[in-house]
Amino acid sequence: MNGLDLGLIGNCSIGALIDKKASIVWCCLPRFDGDPVFHSLLAGDGNPSGQGMFAIEVVDFVSSEQAYLPNTAILRTVLNGASGSIEVLDFAPRFKWRDRAFRPQMLVRRVRPLSGTPRVRIKVRPQFNYGGTTPTITFGSNHVRYVGPETTLRLTTDAPVDYVRSETAFNLDGPLNLILGPDETLSDGASETAQMFETRTHDYWRNWTHRLAVPLDWQDAVVRAAITLKLCSYEPTGAIVAAMTTSIPEAPGTQRNWDYRFCWIRDAFFVVRALNSLSAVRTMENYFGWIMNVVSNANGGHIQPVYGIGLEDRLTERVVDTLDGFKGIGPVRIGNQAYEHFQHDTYGNLVLGASQAFFDTRLFMRAGYEDFERLERVGEKAYELHDQPDAGMWELRSRARVHTSSSVMCWAACDRLGKIALYMGLTDRARFWAERAARIRQVILERAWSGKRQAFVESFEGEYLDAGVLLMGEVGIIDPLDPRFVSTVQEMEKVLGRGPFMMRYEEADDFGAPETAFNVCAFWRIDTLARMGRKDEARELFTALLAARTSLGLMSEDTDYKTGAPWGNFPQTYSMVGIINGAVRLSRPWEAAV
């Protein structure tokens, strides 16, 4: 691994990444896209400043072990030293309290000795303004306050406050607890609060995973992926972030360093669909509320491909000079210029993300006629734009074409609106949208096909291959066994395949030719092969991709197909979705075991 073998904890309000030595290296407050008060992940190779972290160290460190408590988002790290071993339990409280979700902006760290008389050191070094401001520190008998220009954090602990303040090594002769959160006094002591929060958080996650409809095979991988996707959902609004981080490069020195802490309508659809396949439909209900707000705000006009998790429509991109970047590889970016793009697949992904809400009778909320009317405005834009140039799903910054994948999703918007209308008994509207879908389909099959390449290509009248075209089979615009699609897949495997991995596209983009494989493309290939009846090959490739996960079962955006090293923002929801989709499609039926 190259520094991305990290554990994710969270509570659908905040999240944090923890390295193999139990150091919190990334945590943004007060929400996923907020100020990274712990940011040593982006502080340079080896974090030379030693700031922006929350570390619990064994002074004479020898080795470590790390795993999640089964079926939970509670991370357990064992640190072994010459003097003894300790256990660190990390989590963000998450449970039902007073008949509502309790998910405070709080991290809990529980430490206890396991053997010997371990000597430990606690380092709490938050910074504000992306590392630009060091806090003023005040303290009391059982707490330390870290005062910033806009935010104050309070660490409540039963560890010796003097040792915490001075980072003094001491003998750990009993358990201790550290609770970091808002500048508020706890109603109970640190030990009692941490114990209660741990018990209730553990029960919450065990109950949540208990309700998942998991496949027979690869259950551990699926459960971990599902929990990770859940942690990437921002429950107060229903938004789903693409990843927890910003500026982890897709490959060294490429300038492909982007901020993914926002809600892409495309990515969120795939997340919702994957969780729906496991019967975890609550995330879809929350997301439905978020996207219907997007639709209402657009009022029939342009819909951006990405918004802030609080529906912010301006995500101005800038570079910060206070952080050196992951392993010293800059730049570090805040915001994402993609909010300015025209990406026409957005309309189809939005309708697809909302569709199940019209059909699923289990839901607490049901989409109705007014919702359908609002989505018809989205369909009108999809029809209007299906043959117009855009930046495409890969968000090209310097050129526009009529991208096949965008047009396919415009077709999907019209197709699904027709199906929804038919289900609702709106015969005229069903016929209207079916006719529009048929027209778009005819255009795509004619203009996206290249006789020269014997494949559907990345743009109308184009000549290059693009893995996004694999979605043609997935959304149902073409039979996976259609000879043209079979030929397309064969060409892609030869040109874009890299063992079990897949490149996104073959043509150089704004930053040159991609150097690493894009993980979700490999999972699209697996899904396609399964649909074509090549399940044995698909299972072999799927097994190889699972081996590319981190030790905790997570995946980043990209993989160096030569070394297996993860690159890109982390954990990437697209990649975790692929794990679920592959397992669900390829697993043996439960009848095979029982």
Side-chain angles (χ1 to χ4, degrees):
M1 292 296 170
N2 63 349
L4 286 181
D5 197 3
L6 306 170
L8 172 66
I9 62 169
N11 60 6
C12 305
S13 178
I14 63 167
L17 295 174
I18 301 171
D19 71 12
K20 302 295 286 185
K21 293 186 177 181
S23 180
I24 297 177
V25 298
W26 186 257
C27 179
C28 298
L29 295 172
R31 62 186 200 180
F32 300 149
D33 59 351
D35 187 15
V37 295
F38 299 119
H39 53 250
S40 60
L41 183 66
L42 296 185
D45 198 1
N47 187 20
S49 68
Q51 299 300 311
M53 66 177 182
F54 185 170
I56 298 171
E57 301 176 348
V58 170
V59 174
D60 45 9
F61 175 81
V62 174
S63 64
S64 68
E65 308 152 35
Q66 198 171 54
Y68 285 102
L69 299 189
N71 296 347
T72 77
I74 300 174
L75 185 64
R76 179 179 185 263
T77 308
V78 174
L79 301 177
N80 303 304
S83 58
S85 300
I86 68 171
E87 172 192 79
V88 182
L89 289 183
D90 282 300
F91 63 94
R94 162 86 206 202
F95 48 86
K96 208 70 174 293
W97 197 5
R98 295 174 181 170
D99 205 32
R100 61 183 179 183
F102 180 69
R103 34 176 162 69
Q105 297 156 10
M106 179 182 291
L107 302 174
V108 179
R109 318 200 73 184
R110 309 200 70 203
V111 186
R112 68 184 180 98
L114 295 178
S115 65
T117 306
R119 289 184 57 74
V120 301
R121 179 181 286 113
I122 299 170
K123 298 178 180 178
V124 187
R125 298 179 179 178
Q127 288 185 309
F128 301 101
N129 296 327
Y130 286 80
T133 302
T134 299
T136 300
I137 297 177
T138 67
F139 63 94
S141 57
N142 296 105
H143 73 268
V144 183
R145 298 170 70 243
Y146 303 89
V147 183
E150 297 180 0
T151 304
T152 297
L153 299 177
R154 178 186 289 247
L155 177 71
T156 303
T157 183
D158 49 11
V161 168
D162 297 87
Y163 294 164
V164 174
R165 289 176 48 234
S166 61
E167 299 182 355
T168 300
F170 62 97
N171 294 331
L172 184 67
D173 53 13
L176 57 83
N177 303 273
L178 303 107
I179 303 173
L180 183 73
D183 188 23
E184 300 170 357
T185 302
L186 298 179
S187 57
D188 295 307
S191 177
E192 295 84 356
T193 301
Q195 175 62 64
M196 187 268 283
F197 282 0
E198 180 194 338
T199 299
R200 299 191 69 170
T201 299
H202 183 273
D203 290 346
Y204 167 81
W205 286 110
R206 291 284 293 182
N207 287 328
W208 187 79
T209 56
H210 179 262
R211 295 191 295 269
L212 295 178
V214 298
L216 172 60
D217 297 323
W218 305 294
Q219 291 180 44
D220 290 343
V222 169
V223 168
R224 184 52 48 203
I227 291 174
T228 303
L229 294 181
K230 176 77 170 174
L231 293 179
C232 290
S233 67
Y234 184 69
E235 202 166 70
T237 65
I240 302 167
V241 294
M244 283 288 175
T245 59
T246 178
S247 302
I248 308 295
E250 295 179 17
T254 60
Q255 299 290 305
R256 300 173 189 266
N257 299 24
W258 314 118
D259 192 347
Y260 278 7
R261 299 171 298 160
F262 310 115
C263 186
W264 271 261
I265 291 173
R266 175 190 311 111
D267 301 49
F269 155 63
F270 283 102
V271 170
V272 163
R273 190 183 63 167
L275 289 177
N276 288 351
S277 73
L278 303 178
S279 295
V281 295
R282 185 60 182 162
T283 300
M284 175 184 65
E285 291 182 288
N286 291 338
Y287 177 65
F288 182 83
W290 188 85
I291 58 175
M292 294 312 293
N293 275 309
V294 168
V295 171
S296 296
N297 291 343
N299 195 29
H302 169 63
I303 293 179
Q304 298 173 191
V306 57
Y307 293 84
I309 57 179
L311 289 173
E312 294 84 3
D313 58 7
R314 292 188 65 82
L315 306 174
T316 304
E317 185 176 299
R318 63 187 177 92
V319 172
V320 298
D321 58 9
T322 48
L323 296 172
D324 292 336
F326 178 71
K327 302 180 77 65
I329 306 170
V332 173
R333 290 188 171 95
I334 303 171
N336 198 302
Q337 187 205 36
Y339 84 92
E340 299 176 348
H341 290 188
F342 290 83
Q343 298 175 23
H344 299 155
D345 67 309
T346 297
Y347 300 96
N349 286 306
L350 193 150
V351 174
L352 287 168
S355 292
Q356 187 166 330
F358 290 88
F359 298 90
D360 197 330
T361 60
R362 297 170 298 170
L363 304 184
F364 293 133
M365 50 73 61
R366 290 292 304 279
Y369 183 70
E370 290 184 358
D371 297 309
F372 174 72
E373 285 188 318
R374 292 191 185 99
L375 288 181
E376 284 197 293
R377 299 181 186 177
V378 177
E380 291 290 349
K381 292 295 291 184
Y383 184 73
E384 172 191 336
L385 297 169
H386 75 271
D387 59 355
Q388 299 301 305
D390 72 345
M393 68 185 302
W394 305 123
E395 302 182 341
L396 302 176
R397 297 188 171 204
S398 63
R399 66 171 183 250
R401 293 173 179 167
V402 183
H403 288 96
T404 302
S405 57
S406 296
S407 192
V408 166
M409 286 302 175
C410 289
W411 169 84
C414 297
D415 178 75
R416 290 342 186 244
L417 284 170
K419 289 179 168 62
I420 293 168
L422 188 63
Y423 180 77
M424 297 177 71
L426 306 173
T427 307
D428 290 344
R429 301 311 296 165
R431 184 181 305 110
F432 174 84
W433 288 111
E435 289 173 353
R436 289 202 155 183
R439 292 188 205 124
I440 297 175
R441 181 177 184 273
Q442 186 64 32
V443 169
I444 293 170
L445 296 184
E446 290 177 0
R447 298 186 61 188
W449 175 256
S450 168
K452 176 182 177 182
R453 298 300 299 269
Q454 285 296 292
F456 290 107
V457 290
E458 51 87 31
S459 61
F460 287 7
E461 289 83 44
E463 58 178 306
Y464 296 104
L465 299 179
D466 178 349
V469 173
L470 292 174
L471 295 174
M472 292 179 71
E474 187 165 330
V475 300
I477 194 172
I478 194 169
D479 188 319
L481 295 179
D482 184 296
R484 293 166 297 179
F485 190 68
V486 172
S487 176
T488 300
V489 173
Q490 291 171 344
E491 283 299 300
M492 284 194 188
E493 289 189 294
K494 285 191 290 186
V495 175
L496 301 180
R498 301 291 188 274
F501 303 105
M502 284 281 282
M503 308 301 287
R504 279 177 287 184
Y505 39 79
E506 64 175 322
E507 186 184 15
D509 61 18
D510 313 332
F511 299 90
E515 297 178 18
T516 52
F518 202 69
N519 289 326
V520 73
C521 296
F523 288 114
W524 290 344
R525 173 193 185 186
I526 286 168
D527 182 82
T528 299
L529 294 181
R531 292 175 186 272
M532 295 168 62
R534 296 165 57 184
K535 280 199 169 184
D536 289 342
E537 294 174 69
R539 287 178 69 94
E540 183 178 339
L541 292 170
F542 185 64
T543 301
L545 282 178
L546 290 184
R549 295 174 300 158
T550 67
S551 63
L552 292 170
L554 308 185
M555 290 191 86
S556 62
E557 179 185 33
D558 306 271
T559 299
D560 184 327
Y561 58 86
K562 297 176 183 176
T563 67
W567 289 95
N569 283 305
F570 183 89
Q572 179 78 1
T573 53
Y574 249 162
S575 302
M576 305 309 293
V577 162
I579 294 171
I580 292 174
N581 289 347
V584 169
R585 182 162 296 281
L586 296 172
S587 175
R588 295 169 298 160
W590 277 96
E591 289 81 358
V594 298

